[in-house]
Amino acid sequence: MVGLRRAKTVLLVLVVVISNTIANGAPLARGPKESAPAAPVGATAGAVGGPAAAPTGAAGSAGSLDVKAAGAKGDGTTDDTAAFAAVWKTACEAAGPSTMTVPKGDYLVNEIEFLGPCKGPVTFEMHGNMKAPATVAGSKPNCGWIDFTNLADFTLNGNGAIFDGQGSIAWKANDCAKTGKCNSLPINIRFTGLTNSKIIGITSTNSKLFHMNVLNCKNVTLENIGIDAPPESLNTDGIHIGRSIGVNLLGAKIKTGDDCVSIGDGTENLIVENVECGPGHGIAVGSLGRYPNEQPVRGVTVRKCIIKNTSNGVRVKTWPGSPPGIASNIIFEDITMDNVSTPVLIDQEYCPYADCKAGVPSKVKLSDVTFKNIKGTSATKIAVKLICSVGTPCTNVALADINLVHNGAEGPAVGACANMKPVLTGQMIPPACTEIAKPGP
């Protein structure tokens, strides 16, 4: 009887202790396979007195970071560079996904590099515009105004945002047409070393030099891109792509003073689709062969594009006297031309400056180049012009379903060739190679 009373007393004490423990908020012990519940969002490990917001730069997702909250004015006159740099640093150092937000406004920003690698995926979300200083300051060769560098899983959502290079003063100071040295002005936007990334809905206007450079990138998609500059803006290539694998340019409206799209050495598995080009110099592979040790160009497809009022259509251009090089598996198809000079062009004697080795054959080997379903109007009598290297002949250049007409006083359109004989299929207007092609315009 006494033993029974003692057992009841012990049991009562245990019940009281457990009840008080639970009431005071202390957890019960767990077995080795039972994990503790996740801390509330914003809680800091070891915090006393309940959850606390994570400090700036703390490990974990940074959420959305606003440049105006960091001091940016967005009034178009205040220098907001420091605020952009500070917010990027926080976003890039966050271990989880983060978003850098640019609210509505016009942000004056000097040359800035958004540099990785970052600890987690970063989204650059724009609702405002960025503006460069108008003055022409000395820049390092091949520098950029806005640089995105060494980033993986990066997204730039432009939502129609404008990157205004304010280049009109620079165009007047640009003498590269005379000197051939054109790299002393900043490129508007450079994407360098990006992997598995997307660039969506941005417009570059009035760049001092090239509008966009895509270099050393892998698996990058550009969608809904705008380029806007007048014809007198020298060396303002719209989008230049080089030394990159798996780039997709899907939808762009480009008006500029140079090539709408230029494709440089080392480009592989590129798709250019649904581009509206003009005014400008057309869509070009090259120029290739100006420098030693250029990388091969392989697997380029340009399709479903409209080219209007340009000085060239679709073309491949290589320098005479070049080092050895390779460009192969290039397709231009389903292209509409509207008042375009020389809509179809291979030029292996490309010589825009006086310092090229005219008369010395190009050593860039062109092979498996196809022009298919090219239709519309030519502003010049020579609508198809194919000049291959006499020293390194082109192989398997094909024309298929060409219908290009010229309505000028010189008479109907003609096709001209030199050092090559194309493979012909389907409709051929004008007839191919009825004249001997000569270098120059």
Side-chain angles (χ1 to χ4, degrees), residues 5 195 249 271 318 321 342:
R5 287 177 181 173
T195 304
L249 172 58
I271 294 176
T318 75
T342 321

Side-chain angles (χ1 to χ4, degrees), residues 332-336 371-375 400-403:
F332 301 98
E333 64 178 334
D334 301 331
I335 312 292
T336 299
F371 300 91
K372 181 180 180 181
N373 194 27
I374 314 293
K375 300 178 180 180
D401 297 317
I402 307 298
N403 187 356

Side-chain angles (χ1 to χ4, degrees), residues 65-73 80 82-88 90 100-101:
L65 303 165
D66 189 320
V67 295
K68 280 197 171 180
K73 301 300 182 183
D80 290 326
F84 275 75
V87 172
W88 177 261
T90 301
M100 177 173 172
T101 302

Side-chain angles (χ1 to χ4, degrees), residues 307-384:
I307 302 178
K308 184 176 182 178
N309 297 326
T310 58
S311 58
N312 296 281
V314 290
R315 59 176 170 162
V316 181
K317 49 183 178 174
T318 75
W319 287 72
S322 70
I326 295 172
S328 63
N329 295 303
I330 299 167
I331 300 175
F332 301 98
E333 64 178 334
D334 301 331
I335 312 292
T336 299
M337 304 287 181
D338 184 353
N339 193 41
V340 172
S341 298
T342 321
V344 174
L345 175 62
I346 291 177
D347 186 0
Q348 291 211 261
E349 297 182 14
Y350 176 73
C351 184
Y353 312 122
D355 62 347
C356 61
K357 299 176 182 178
V360 181
S362 173
K363 294 182 180 179
V364 178
K365 174 67 174 180
L366 302 184
S367 61
D368 301 311
V369 180
T370 299
F371 300 91
K372 181 180 180 181
N373 194 27
I374 314 293
K375 300 178 180 180
T377 56
S378 174
T380 52
K381 182 175 182 179
I382 298 179
V384 178

Side-chain angles (χ1 to χ4, degrees), residues 90-319:
T90 301
C92 192
E93 290 179 351
S98 58
T99 299
M100 177 173 172
T101 302
V102 181
K104 290 183 178 180
D106 293 313
Y107 299 85
L108 180 65
V109 177
N110 280 289
E111 292 180 8
I112 187 170
E113 184 174 36
F114 299 106
L115 178 63
C118 296
K119 293 182 179 179
V122 178
T123 297
F124 198 104
E125 189 77 26
M126 298 189 68
H127 300 281
N129 304 318
M130 297 178 72
K131 182 188 292 186
T135 55
V136 181
S139 298
K140 296 179 181 178
N142 302 310
C143 72
W145 165 43
I146 305 293
D147 283 356
F148 296 94
T149 308
N150 296 340
L151 301 170
D153 303 309
F154 171 72
T155 300
L156 173 53
N157 278 331
N159 300 297
I162 295 171
F163 292 77
D164 185 357
Q166 298 205 91
S168 59
I169 297 175
W171 304 332
K172 297 174 183 177
N174 187 347
D175 63 351
C176 70
K178 299 177 182 178
T179 66
K181 298 177 181 179
C182 311
N183 60 1
S184 59
L185 295 169
I187 296 162
N188 241 21
I189 313 170
R190 296 199 316 169
F191 302 105
T192 307
L194 271 58
T195 304
N196 301 329
S197 298
K198 291 184 178 181
I199 315 300
I200 304 169
I202 62 172
T203 293
S204 171
T205 64
N206 299 327
S207 179
K208 294 179 176 69
L209 200 66
F210 287 18
H211 286 267
M212 296 183 191
N213 258 21
V214 181
L215 296 174
N216 296 318
C217 291
K218 186 176 182 180
N219 299 332
V220 171
T221 296
L222 298 93
E223 296 181 23
N224 191 23
I225 303 299
I227 303 290
D228 194 359
E232 62 267 22
S233 57
L234 295 176
N235 288 95
T236 54
D237 286 35
I239 303 173
H240 177 76
I241 302 164
R243 303 202 176 192
S244 297
I245 299 174
V247 172
N248 298 312
L249 172 58
L250 308 177
K253 294 183 178 180
I254 302 176
K255 300 177 180 180
T256 193
D258 212 293
D259 292 334
C260 292
V261 180
S262 59
I263 300 161
D265 75 291
T267 302
E268 297 186 33
N269 302 329
L270 168 69
I271 294 176
V272 176
E273 184 174 284
N274 291 325
V275 171
E276 295 182 21
C277 167
H281 295 183
I283 298 175
V285 174
S287 59
L288 302 176
R290 188 178 186 187
Y291 304 105
N293 304 314
E294 292 186 357
Q295 302 301 307
V297 174
R298 295 189 179 100
V300 173
T301 299
V302 178
R303 64 193 180 202
K304 299 178 182 177
C305 296
I306 298 172
I307 302 178
K308 184 176 182 178
N309 297 326
T310 58
S311 58
N312 296 281
V314 290
R315 59 176 170 162
V316 181
K317 49 183 178 174
T318 75
W319 287 72

